[in-house]
Amino acid sequence: MRRVLILGGTAEARALAASLVDVHVVSSLAGRVSDPRLPVGEVHIGGFGGAEGLAVWLRDHRIDRFVDATHPFAETMSASAARASELAGVPLLALRRPGWSEEDGDDWQRVPSLAAAVGVLPSGARVFLTTGRRSIPVFAARTDAWFLARSVDPPEPPVPSNVQVLLARGPYTVDGERALIRGHRLEVLVTKDSGGTLTRAKLVAARETGLPVVMVDRPRLPENVRTTDDVEAAAAWAQG
């Protein structure tokens, strides 16, 4: 039986695992979320020890093909996957959901990095920060601004005094996002171009309330990696 490894944790990774038939599927989760949504099939939680460790794991477990279906901003893992594919000689496919596109009525400013996003925030702004708990210290250095930082798990303490943490997990609703924006008198939204529908409601609410958006662009995938944004196409490739 063909053996397929899925590097995931995303909704696309779970959908891919569920769609594969007559295949032994192993899904790998990084273990950064305390209570992850588990896919069907065998699950591996934790790292592999870099690209070299992943290459050894692929060979030892007789993996025929593997899919990088990690978060679009999991830059280090994607680089390790590309290198491990070369070392182990195991074909790799990157599955990435399409990014978001600006629509009529949106007020977006695209930036290339989190550091760039920090730099464009106006002084005194009340910021809706949805870039993940690990980014909070980067933004909190802007002591002239206030942040409502939403994340699935709590950030590492101490939490700076100019940050209020909101623990929540999507999917979110437009009504709920609109209420957050108005209730906290938020003036700008900072988010990553993650794509998908799970957290898109915040962009609709921002458009409806006239909230400007700072959109952090995705890092590029490693060169020469085959890519698709379609789960069915990824399943067909994985099954050969």
Side-chain angles (χ1 to χ4, degrees), residues 95-136:
L95 172 60
R96 289 290 186 273
R97 71 187 76 137
W100 288 315
S101 298
E102 198 168 357
E103 300 182 14
D104 289 343
D106 284 331
D107 179 10
W108 289 11
Q109 180 176 359
R110 285 192 174 270
V111 294
S113 65
L114 291 174
V118 172
V120 301
L121 294 177
S123 180
R126 295 179 64 83
V127 183
F128 189 12
L129 184 62
T130 64
T131 53
R133 61 191 173 103
R134 295 174 184 272
S135 70
I136 289 176

Side-chain angles (χ1 to χ4, degrees), residues 89-192:
V90 179
L92 168 68
L93 174 72
L95 172 60
R96 289 290 186 273
R97 71 187 76 137
W100 288 315
S101 298
E102 198 168 357
E103 300 182 14
D104 289 343
D106 284 331
D107 179 10
W108 289 11
Q109 180 176 359
R110 285 192 174 270
V111 294
S113 65
L114 291 174
V118 172
V120 301
L121 294 177
S123 180
R126 295 179 64 83
V127 183
F128 189 12
L129 184 62
T130 64
T131 53
R133 61 191 173 103
R134 295 174 184 272
S135 70
I136 289 176
V138 177
F139 286 90
R142 283 289 305 268
T143 55
D144 60 328
W146 181 88
F147 300 89
L148 178 67
R150 183 166 65 193
S151 63
V152 175
D153 290 321
E156 293 293 328
V159 176
S161 59
N162 62 330
V163 176
Q164 179 178 331
V165 176
L166 173 63
L167 299 182
R169 186 198 296 266
Y172 306 103
T173 66
V174 174
D175 287 344
E177 301 290 63
R178 192 188 301 112
L180 275 180
I181 291 169
R182 291 174 173 166
H184 290 275
R185 296 177 287 111
L186 300 172
E187 298 168 323
V188 60
L189 166 66
V190 180
T191 188
K192 296 175 178 178

Side-chain angles (χ1 to χ4, degrees), residues 1 5 48 53-56 60 88 96 99-100 107 126 133 151 154-155 169 172 181 196-197 221 227 232 239-240:
M1 179 178 290
L5 171 67
F48 295 94
L54 176 55
V56 170
D60 288 349
R96 289 290 186 273
W100 288 315
D107 179 10
R126 295 179 64 83
R133 61 191 173 103
S151 63
R169 186 198 296 266
Y172 306 103
I181 291 169
T197 60
L221 282 167
T227 64
E232 290 185 3
Q239 292 171 151

Side-chain angles (χ1 to χ4, degrees), residues 41-64:
E42 183 180 342
V43 176
H44 170 90
I45 295 182
F48 295 94
E52 291 75 13
L54 176 55
V56 170
W57 195 96
L58 291 170
R59 289 192 294 261
D60 288 349
H61 290 78
R62 306 186 309 281
I63 298 299
D64 298 293

Side-chain angles (χ1 to χ4, degrees), residues 32 36 71 92 99 114 124-125 140 146 176 211 220 224 230:
R32 292 180 178 174
H71 192 276
L92 168 68
L114 291 174
W146 181 88
L211 202 71
R220 291 185 178 181
N224 302 320
D230 182 74

Side-chain angles (χ1 to χ4, degrees), residues 1-113:
M1 179 178 290
R2 182 179 289 263
R3 298 176 63 87
V4 175
L5 171 67
I6 301 173
L7 305 177
T10 60
E12 292 75 23
R14 293 190 296 273
L16 176 60
S19 68
L20 294 176
V21 295
D22 298 326
V23 170
H24 181 89
V25 183
V26 182
S27 295
S28 172
L29 308 181
R32 292 180 178 174
V33 177
S34 61
D35 185 23
R37 294 180 175 129
L38 297 179
V40 299
E42 183 180 342
V43 176
H44 170 90
I45 295 182
F48 295 94
E52 291 75 13
L54 176 55
V56 170
W57 195 96
L58 291 170
R59 289 192 294 261
D60 288 349
H61 290 78
R62 306 186 309 281
I63 298 299
D64 298 293
R65 292 190 173 190
F66 75 120
V67 179
D68 172 14
T70 56
H71 192 276
F73 283 82
E75 187 173 8
T76 300
M77 188 67 245
S78 292
S80 292
R83 178 59 179 153
S85 174
E86 295 177 359
L87 293 173
V90 179
L92 168 68
L93 174 72
L95 172 60
R96 289 290 186 273
R97 71 187 76 137
W100 288 315
S101 298
E102 198 168 357
E103 300 182 14
D104 289 343
D106 284 331
D107 179 10
W108 289 11
Q109 180 176 359
R110 285 192 174 270
V111 294
S113 65

